[in-house]
Amino acid sequence: MRVENIYRYPVKGLTAEALEEVTLTPGACLPHDRRFALAQGDAPFDPAAPTWLQKRHFGCLMVNERLALLHTAFDPKSGQLAIRPPEGPPMLGDTRTEAGRAEIAGFLAAYLGEEARGTPRFVEAPGHHFTDVAVKCVSIIGLSSLHALERAIGQRLDPLRFRANVYVSGSRPWSEFDWLGQEIQLGGARLKVFKRIIRCAATEVNPETAVRDAKPPQSLREHFGHADLGVYAEVIEGGRIAVGDALEPLEGELH
């Protein structure tokens, strides 16, 4: 199997950023992946004592599909986050300062309008990631599984609907489910697959148009008897991964 794409999502629910290569660290997500989030005003998130919360507490495509129309870019060196809305002037905010985070939160809250609950906060917490599961991990999708779904429904689905970190080709449909409890070699890193990814309403949103023009969870259940696409894997041995690298299940090396 071959790595075709690597993505990070610096702000939960916002733009994917393609990477040619990245270094994985044991027990961690991709660097800067889901580092920031827009916490709704009623979200009980405390940056000083961060704990995992369900996605409904944050701006997310499951509820706020209009977020797909925002184009964002994050510069880890400067801490600057650029946001370009579909209409009106863009903004550049400094994620490192309280004033900059407040400016970003105000911009996003104004854009969401009635979907913003209370006074949202643009938040981060060192070492914390706003992922959909409590374990720090990497999400992987076999493109053959996605293509099987596309054939079943007769519709092309942008892979970015599913917001995975790594997309691989060269496997048979659904073969990634066979890796559960097993180690895989991904480029120079070793990971252990621990969970299938159950898909939610976020995947209904077309990332180009922000229109809910498909129902992947429902279609998966109707055609395949489950609502899963992709797997989560925990990094147990760090290393560099790059587009073009191989992914190999390590059969016989179960732990």
Side-chain angles (χ1 to χ4, degrees), residues 148-171:
L149 174 59
E150 291 175 320
R151 287 191 296 271
I153 65 175
Q155 179 182 353
R156 182 187 176 276
L157 299 172
D158 188 326
L160 286 178
R161 284 180 187 261
F162 302 93
R163 300 179 69 80
N165 297 127
V166 179
Y167 293 84
V168 298
S169 63
S171 60

Side-chain angles (χ1 to χ4, degrees), residues 9-204:
Y9 307 82
V11 183
K12 186 175 185 66
L14 296 183
T15 304
E17 296 184 355
L19 304 172
E20 287 297 316
E21 62 178 65
V22 69
T23 298
L24 301 182
T25 301
C29 300
L30 264 69
H32 311 294
D33 188 46
R34 278 86 170 184
R35 175 176 167 180
F36 306 100
L38 182 70
Q40 295 282 18
D42 55 3
F45 183 76
D46 181 0
T51 57
W52 180 84
L53 295 174
Q54 293 180 339
K55 66 180 74 176
R56 64 183 175 83
H57 292 290
F58 306 98
C60 64
L61 291 170
M62 182 179 73
V63 179
N64 316 114
E65 63 264 27
R66 291 182 65 246
L67 290 176
L69 294 178
L70 293 175
H71 293 273
T72 60
F74 175 62
D75 182 353
K77 293 182 179 179
S78 69
Q80 298 291 309
L81 177 69
I83 308 177
R84 179 166 56 86
E87 297 178 356
M91 78 151 301
L92 188 66
D94 190 344
T95 64
R96 300 169 302 179
T97 68
E98 184 175 348
R101 292 190 295 272
E103 183 181 10
I104 295 169
F107 184 93
L108 293 174
Y111 177 75
L112 287 176
E114 294 181 356
E115 294 180 14
R117 306 195 303 267
T119 303
R121 299 167 292 147
F122 188 76
V123 293
E124 75 165 319
H128 185 77
H129 295 260
F130 297 94
T131 49
D132 288 347
V133 291
V135 179
K136 294 178 182 179
C137 57
V138 174
S139 55
I140 304 170
I141 285 180
L143 288 169
S144 62
S145 301
L146 174 57
H147 297 330
L149 174 59
E150 291 175 320
R151 287 191 296 271
I153 65 175
Q155 179 182 353
R156 182 187 176 276
L157 299 172
D158 188 326
L160 286 178
R161 284 180 187 261
F162 302 93
R163 300 179 69 80
N165 297 127
V166 179
Y167 293 84
V168 298
S169 63
S171 60
R172 60 177 174 78
W174 318 115
S175 62
E176 56 266 40
F177 295 164
D178 297 335
W179 309 339
L180 286 174
Q182 186 172 326
E183 293 183 8
I184 58 174
Q185 187 73 34
L186 179 62
R190 184 176 292 207
L191 299 85
K192 185 172 183 178
V193 177
F194 67 89
K195 183 178 176 61
R196 290 160 54 153
I197 303 176
I198 303 172
R199 292 301 167 179
C200 72
T203 61
E204 298 175 354

